Amino acid sequence: MPTTPSRGAAAIGQSGGPTAVINQSLAGVVEGLRGQDAVTRVLGMRRGVSGLTQGQFVDLGAVPPDTLERLARTPSSALQSTRDKPTPESCQQILKACRDNDIRFFFYIGGNDSADTCRIVSELARDSGYGMRCFHVPKTVDNDLMQNDHTPGYPSAARFVATAFMSDALDNYSLPGIKINIVMGRHAGFLTAASALARRRDDDGPHLVYVPEVAFDVDRFIADVQEVFGRLGRCQVAVSEGIRDASGHEIGAGLIGGEKDPHGNVQLSGSGALGDQLANLVKARVKTSSGKAPRVRADTFGYLQRCWPDPSPVDAREAREVGRVAAQAAVRAEADASVAIVRTGNAPYAIETRLVPLREVAAKTRTMPPEFLDGHRNVSRAFLDYLRPLVGDLPAMERLPG
Amino acid sequence: MPTTPSRGAAAIGQSGGPTAVINQSLAGVVEGLRGQDAVTRVLGMRRGVSGLTQGQFVDLGAVPPDTLERLARTPSSALQSTRDKPTPESCQQILKACRDNDIRFFFYIGGNDSADTCRIVSELARDSGYGMRCFHVPKTVDNDLMQNDHTPGYPSAARFVATAFMSDALDNYSLPGIKINIVMGRHAGFLTAASALARRRDDDGPHLVYVPEVAFDVDRFIADVQEVFGRLGRCQVAVSEGIRDASGHEIGAGLIGGEKDPHGNVQLSGSGALGDQLANLVKARVKTSSGKAPRVRADTFGYLQRCWPDPSPVDAREAREVGRVAAQAAVRAEADASVAIVRTGNAPYAIETRLVPLREVAAKTRTMPPEFLDGHRNVSRAFLDYLRPLVGDLPAMERLPG
């Protein structure tokens, strides 16, 4: 139940992987707090809660509006980020830092792990009787937050992926072969599925789309590639970095052999191992009609997907809005919550924001619903209808007849 | 010596790796031939000389101007490409195909291998007394053609690389670690060097730039990374796909173990092996002050570098111009040649085109001159002054103070 807010400082942090529009959300919170009597100072936490507990702040109230606007248009987390998972001890330190700095408004911009941090801090403040409003502002290119139609950051990353597949398909049309592109998204296939928006004609790539929601079977994959390549003489393939085999084992993580972050997330990005391994399989097993080995290449799109400086206009606007909504809810002393985006119309496209309990978003993962898939290697028209309004105009591309 | 051209058909081909502006050159040739009495038809060869010998043509004269304009703005080779190397037998077939189709104007858009094809065809036509003008139109993201200040395709790829490093540097600033990015360019460092244009402040990446023109030494590389990482707590590294060790051995090619094309070029792109290997070396040998292993990631930018649909405006204009110049030279019956771009001014930037003998470009490789390098791990101010006018405006990016 809402209580009267205490007067005091606000603190804003950014956490987890950055996006092209996460600074829009930062600017949105700052704007929403501007001129509010209850808010004495607006502090940016450097590196999320790590900076908070170490007293490392930026005075965001002193940032001129035109600088804030340029910052909002700059990709990646301006306050720097963290992947530290709060422990019982560090949570006590977070609360102590909030008390020490008279922080009464706590905003955390991030994904489901960040929502969980926000939840823990919220509960700790409540249990200790410290009057502080805690709001989670959604952000993730993985699009995997519960209660959200989609999450800020995803539409811009989807725009990059669709543009990349469109361009790369022309490259593969020009010098035909089998091209495998590995796409981010962790355990959710939304970002990989965005590749399908690249199609304009029946024979346009991506011809095969593999997401983590469907168990990946190597023999079936080889047969799929052989079928498309035999039919078209080329084959463009979209593969999620998080594909799993029938027993749920993450194929890429096993190949990369990288580290885990403190939330237990294994390394899936920043390596070309999965793409190279799939390319080697295809080279060994897929045959051309002449018996010659086909031309096979793999690209792993990597971090450019989440930081490319050409955001979706819809995404930029919505990322700003969820920050503003969180700030306004906090100064109205609404109950601690996560801001969620709900779609209210598709033609014309319309959304509204809702405040949902933190525990309904925290540490949970949404994956693609079955109606967004079409068999084991494609996405449905329903998914394309869902995605299209989010990404903005894609470049026009022409092909010669014949 | 110029001779009166025979009246007949023109044929245009695209060869080698595509670029973001190679269709501008195609449109330039078509425009330059339009309305010329000597030119009876304008044929596009499908897949370069492969399509020519198989009689697979597109009637480019029938393509409406607005379609041609949209095509010019579309990345990648609209006619499709080839990497076939002409043999004595296939050259006879090429000449026969030219005779059979009454082709009197031969245009080949491509890199140094394509210039060599053009040279062979030119000599064969001359030796057999067949009246045909042969012109090479330059194209390569590697920027490695002799006699050229720079080559169409390179400025747009450089624009992508600089933008990518700028964005990726913010990502690495946000979640600090050691980030290695592998860049195209084969044996020339020009494209990797373009990463340096991403810098705005003293501590901006890329902090280390390794090009094939300087022998790559693993121990020195590790010491470099350790030094930067110790100083800044992060390190962004640009590495050419074509780096070689002191004995000239291509490090990436050895790791990829891929195929050779018919020109003897080994596979350097379409694999993450070089980046992953360097990342593993860094993980094993670079230490943080706390003794913890640093966060190390590698991305291989891949084919997006040459097909991203956001060309440099200068590049688009010049690519069109070299096509037009080739067409006009051919109908004026100039001696067979390659069109070269020569810079005539830098402030303001100005170029002119020259016709140079085919043998001065064919099968030769230009690499970065010593004055473009600064030590073993950086580029010079002279290089940045050279590059800046080529790429167009880069996105503005803001950082918080402190």
Side-chain angles (χ1 to χ4, degrees):
Chain A
M1 65 217 104
T3 54
T4 308
S6 308
R7 191 164 183 271
I12 312 168
Q14 294 174 314
S15 180
T19 78
V21 298
I22 188 169
N23 292 331
Q24 290 281 2
S25 295
L26 175 63
V29 178
V30 173
E31 277 178 349
L33 297 175
R34 204 174 275 153
Q36 295 291 339
D37 288 341
V39 181
T40 53
R41 290 187 301 166
V42 181
L43 303 174
M45 315 173 198
R46 286 212 182 267
R47 301 185 317 287
V49 289
S50 314
L52 170 63
T53 55
Q54 292 162 29
Q56 295 177 342
F57 297 110
V58 183
D59 181 0
L60 291 172
V63 175
D66 58 332
T67 305
L68 189 68
E69 192 54 50
R70 285 197 302 276
L71 210 61
R73 293 171 192 214
T74 299
S76 199
S77 308
L79 290 168
Q80 301 189 273
S81 192
T82 179
R83 289 198 184 276
D84 283 358
K85 187 182 177 69
T87 60
E89 299 75 46
S90 74
C91 281
Q92 290 297 346
Q93 293 174 339
I94 291 171
L95 190 65
K96 181 175 184 303
C98 289
R99 286 184 189 270
D100 289 352
N101 293 284
D102 192 28
I103 292 165
R104 300 291 180 166
F105 306 92
F106 182 97
F107 301 94
Y108 219 40
I109 309 168
N112 41 21
D113 289 331
S114 310
D116 201 34
T117 300
C118 207
R119 177 190 62 79
I120 297 171
V121 171
S122 165
E123 291 173 2
L124 206 63
R126 183 197 60 200
D127 293 350
S128 66
Y130 180 67
M132 181 168 76
R133 298 274 58 83
C134 296
F135 282 80
H136 170 244
V137 181
K139 170 273 351 171
T140 167
V141 299
D142 302 339
N143 203 36
D144 63 354
L145 297 194
M146 299 298 282
Q147 303 290 345
N148 284 269
D149 176 78
H150 60 278
T151 46
Y154 171 67
S156 296
R159 177 180 176 80
F160 180 90
V161 168
T163 307
F165 268 85
M166 216 178 218
S167 310
D168 178 74
L170 288 171
D171 197 286
N172 190 44
Y173 171 78
S174 165
L175 283 169
I178 296 159
K179 180 68 194 299
I180 299 164
N181 294 321
I182 308 292
V183 183
M184 277 186 167
R186 303 200 63 82
H187 311 313
F190 294 103
L191 194 53
T192 303
S195 62
L197 212 58
R199 298 177 189 142
R200 289 290 173 277
R201 309 183 189 206
D202 285 350
D203 64 348
D204 276 348
H207 307 102
L208 301 170
V209 180
Y210 299 99
V211 294
E213 286 81 356
V214 181
F216 186 83
D217 180 271
V218 167
D219 292 333
R220 188 167 63 176
F221 164 68
I222 294 294
D224 291 343
V225 173
Q226 183 74 65
E227 183 269 312
V228 173
F229 186 69
R231 181 159 46 88
L232 298 176
R234 61 195 156 85
C235 180
Q236 190 195 37
V237 190
V239 179
S240 284
E241 62 179 11
I243 51 165
R244 299 157 184 248
D245 62 22
S247 62
H249 169 78
E250 288 167 320
I251 298 169
L255 293 168
I256 295 169
E259 71 263 35
K260 280 189 185 181
D261 77 6
H263 296 273
N265 300 316
V266 294
Q267 183 188 339
L268 289 173
S269 298
S271 161
L274 176 59
D276 290 352
Q277 176 78 355
L278 294 177
N280 287 339
L281 277 169
V282 169
K283 278 181 195 176
R285 295 180 52 185
V286 170
K287 304 290 171 223
T288 60
S289 52
S290 68
K292 249 177 46 177
R295 179 176 180 270
V296 186
R297 298 289 186 271
D299 274 336
T300 302
F301 287 165
Y303 292 98
L304 299 183
Q305 294 166 89
R306 69 184 193 192
C307 62
W308 192 256
D310 174 31
S312 146
V314 166
D315 196 20
R317 191 171 65 232
E318 293 179 349
R320 187 75 158 243
E321 180 65 12
V322 290
R324 228 183 262 128
V325 164
Q328 290 161 351
V331 296
R332 277 200 320 267
E334 301 270 0
D336 294 359
S338 179
V339 181
I341 293 177
V342 179
R343 193 178 307 211
T344 53
N346 211 36
Y349 170 77
I351 60 141
E352 61 182 37
T353 55
R354 284 190 198 154
L355 299 177
V356 299
L358 286 163
R359 67 176 180 282
E360 292 183 13
V361 176
K364 290 186 164 69
T365 297
R366 181 174 72 125
T367 55
M368 291 183 81
E371 64 267 26
F372 280 0
L373 300 174
D374 176 12
H376 76 278
R377 60 181 220 186
N378 201 4
V379 299
S380 68
R381 174 176 291 270
F383 172 74
L384 294 174
D385 290 343
Y386 158 86
L387 179 60
R388 204 169 280 111
L390 303 183
V391 298
D393 291 338
L394 295 174
M397 298 200 182
E398 187 65 57
R399 232 163 74 181
L400 281 169
Chain B
M1 63 219 109
T3 55
T4 308
S6 309
R7 192 164 183 273
I12 312 168
Q14 295 173 312
S15 179
T19 77
V21 298
I22 187 170
N23 291 333
Q24 289 283 1
S25 295
L26 174 63
V29 178
V30 174
E31 277 178 349
L33 296 174
R34 204 174 274 154
Q36 295 290 339
D37 288 341
V39 181
T40 54
R41 288 188 302 165
V42 182
L43 303 174
M45 315 173 197
R46 286 210 182 269
R47 302 185 315 287
V49 290
S50 313
L52 170 63
T53 55
Q54 292 161 30
Q56 295 177 341
F57 297 110
V58 182
D59 180 0
L60 292 172
V63 174
D66 58 333
T67 305
L68 190 68
E69 192 55 50
R70 284 197 303 275
L71 210 61
R73 294 171 191 214
T74 299
S76 197
S77 307
L79 290 167
Q80 301 188 273
S81 192
T82 178
R83 291 198 183 277
D84 283 359
K85 188 180 176 71
T87 60
E89 299 75 46
S90 73
C91 283
Q92 291 297 345
Q93 292 174 339
I94 291 171
L95 191 65
K96 180 174 185 304
C98 290
R99 286 184 188 272
D100 289 351
N101 293 284
D102 192 30
I103 292 166
R104 300 292 181 165
F105 306 92
F106 181 97
F107 301 94
Y108 219 39
I109 309 169
N112 41 20
D113 289 331
S114 310
D116 201 36
T117 301
C118 207
R119 176 190 63 80
I120 297 171
V121 170
S122 165
E123 290 174 3
L124 206 64
R126 182 198 60 200
D127 293 351
S128 68
Y130 180 67
M132 179 167 77
R133 298 273 57 83
C134 297
F135 282 80
H136 170 244
V137 181
K139 171 275 347 171
T140 166
V141 299
D142 303 339
N143 203 37
D144 63 353
L145 296 193
M146 298 298 282
Q147 304 289 344
N148 284 269
D149 176 77
H150 61 277
T151 45
Y154 170 67
S156 296
R159 176 180 177 81
F160 180 90
V161 168
T163 306
F165 268 85
M166 216 177 217
S167 310
D168 178 74
L170 289 171
D171 197 286
N172 192 43
Y173 171 78
S174 164
L175 283 170
I178 295 160
K179 181 68 194 299
I180 299 164
N181 294 321
I182 308 294
V183 183
M184 277 185 166
R186 300 201 64 82
H187 311 312
F190 293 104
L191 194 53
T192 304
S195 63
L197 212 59
R199 298 177 190 142
R200 288 292 174 274
R201 310 182 190 207
D202 285 350
D203 65 348
D204 277 349
H207 307 103
L208 301 169
V209 180
Y210 299 99
V211 295
E213 286 80 356
V214 181
F216 186 83
D217 180 89
V218 168
D219 293 332
R220 188 166 63 176
F221 164 68
I222 294 294
D224 290 344
V225 173
Q226 183 74 65
E227 184 270 311
V228 173
F229 186 68
R231 181 158 48 85
L232 298 175
R234 59 197 158 84
C235 180
Q236 191 195 36
V237 190
V239 179
S240 284
E241 63 178 12
I243 52 165
R244 299 155 182 251
D245 62 22
S247 63
H249 170 79
E250 289 166 319
I251 298 168
L255 293 168
I256 295 169
E259 70 264 35
K260 281 189 184 183
D261 78 7
H263 295 272
N265 301 315
V266 293
Q267 182 187 341
L268 289 173
S269 299
S271 161
L274 176 59
D276 289 352
Q277 176 79 355
L278 294 176
N280 287 338
L281 277 169
V282 169
K283 278 181 196 177
R285 295 181 52 185
V286 170
K287 303 291 171 222
T288 60
S289 52
S290 68
K292 250 177 48 179
R295 179 176 181 269
V296 186
R297 298 289 186 272
D299 274 335
T300 302
F301 287 165
Y303 292 98
L304 300 183
Q305 295 165 89
R306 69 185 193 193
C307 62
W308 193 254
D310 174 32
S312 146
V314 167
D315 196 19
R317 191 171 65 233
E318 291 178 352
R320 187 77 156 241
E321 180 65 12
V322 292
R324 228 182 261 128
V325 165
Q328 289 161 352
V331 294
R332 279 200 318 268
E334 301 271 358
D336 293 359
S338 178
V339 180
I341 292 177
V342 178
R343 193 178 307 209
T344 53
N346 212 35
Y349 169 78
I351 60 141
E352 61 181 41
T353 56
R354 284 191 197 151
L355 300 176
V356 299
L358 286 164
R359 67 175 180 284
E360 292 183 14
V361 176
K364 290 187 163 69
T365 298
R366 181 173 72 125
T367 56
M368 291 183 80
E371 64 269 25
F372 279 0
L373 300 174
D374 177 12
H376 76 279
R377 60 181 222 186
N378 201 3
V379 299
S380 68
R381 175 176 290 269
F383 172 73
L384 293 174
D385 290 343
Y386 158 86
L387 179 61
R388 204 169 280 111
L390 304 182
V391 299
D393 292 336
L394 295 175
M397 297 200 183
E398 186 66 56
R399 232 164 72 178
L400 280 170

